[in-house]
Amino acid sequence: MSQLNVNTIGARTGTTISVASGHTLQDANGKTIAGSKIVLLNTTTISDDATVSIDNFVDPNTYVYYKVIGENIKPATNGQQFRYYFRTGGASGSDITANYSFSGTHTSGFESSLTYGTGYGYPFSGVSNASGEELNFIGEFFPNNGSSGDAWFKTDGMYKNDSGNANRRTYIWTHGGTTQVTGLKFFMGNGNLTSGKFYIYGVSKWVL
């Protein structure tokens, strides 16, 4: 098998290397280099916002699901719920404000409500606004395809609540129905979101 060394190809031909369909790109150890499986789609910085809407990142042809990270989320008002809506409508999205249910575990046990009777998701409660007690979480978001299956969003977080106690919460919220979900809106139960960041990554359906 012939070999082409490409250690200087970037300097000679630019920064992009394309591989024809049916072929593979291997590293120096002969292992196949996979295509990008997790792609950063959106970074949103909070700046004293009443709500934070992130729309139109859902692409069912390319991504199978999405990873959502909340980094150093700080509310203006102490002891509030961290909430979200699913959104529909793409770039000009609107909130879905009915038919949510949940199941989850927290520091003290388990709870659920499976009757699709809630108007929003609230995975974290008692969120502190003290410096050094910001909320950090990771999430997996599965929007439906608009014709089958519920959309759902699982979040995991360990944080110090407004009473100064450690609080672990792992919750899945789902929306009943076939309304296609295309975005998320984050907000607090009362008061603004003061600071922090949201990152959304798409998990690709394919590899090179």
Side-chain angles (χ1 to χ4, degrees):
M1 180 179 66
S2 60
Q3 177 175 309
L4 173 64
N5 294 319
V6 294
N7 56 306
T8 60
I9 197 168
R12 297 174 184 275
T13 64
T15 57
T16 300
I17 301 173
S18 298
V19 179
S21 177
H23 298 270
T24 60
L25 184 64
Q26 296 180 340
D27 63 17
N29 296 315
K31 294 182 179 180
T32 298
I33 300 172
S36 181
K37 299 175 70 172
I38 300 179
V39 180
L40 178 63
L41 303 177
N42 179 277
T43 301
T44 297
T45 300
I46 300 166
S47 181
D48 196 27
D49 297 307
T51 64
V52 175
S53 296
I54 307 174
D55 285 317
N56 208 33
F57 61 85
V58 172
D59 179 1
N61 294 319
T62 304
Y63 306 108
V64 65
Y65 76 101
Y66 305 84
K67 291 183 176 291
V68 182
I69 296 174
E71 179 185 56
N72 296 329
I73 308 300
K74 186 174 183 178
T77 304
N78 196 42
Q80 299 301 306
Q81 289 179 339
F82 176 82
R83 301 176 177 177
Y84 60 81
Y85 291 125
F86 292 149
R87 305 260 291 168
T88 188
S92 56
S94 60
D95 302 334
I96 299 174
T97 59
N99 298 325
Y100 292 82
S101 68
F102 73 91
S103 178
T105 60
H106 53 84
T107 306
S108 302
F110 169 83
E111 63 176 331
S112 65
S113 175
L114 304 177
T115 59
Y116 295 108
T118 308
Y120 47 81
Y122 51 94
F124 304 108
S125 61
V127 180
S128 173
N129 68 348
S131 295
E133 297 182 2
E134 292 82 2
L135 170 67
N136 292 278
F137 70 85
I138 58 175
E140 294 178 321
F141 174 48
F142 282 77
N144 60 1
N145 63 13
S147 62
S148 62
D150 287 358
W152 59 270
F153 186 19
K154 175 187 176 183
T155 52
D156 294 282
M158 184 82 180
Y159 61 102
K160 185 181 287 187
N161 63 18
D162 58 315
S163 299
N165 298 318
N167 196 349
R168 179 192 63 80
R169 295 176 72 90
T170 300
Y171 276 71
I172 299 177
W173 285 83
T174 182
H175 173 260
T178 56
T179 300
Q180 186 170 11
V181 174
T182 57
L184 294 163
K185 175 188 278 187
F186 300 103
F187 59 104
M188 302 303 299
N190 185 49
N192 285 1
L193 288 155
T194 298
S195 57
K197 287 186 176 182
F198 296 109
Y199 303 90
I200 296 181
Y201 297 83
V203 180
S204 299
K205 290 183 175 182
W206 57 271
V207 296
L208 186 65

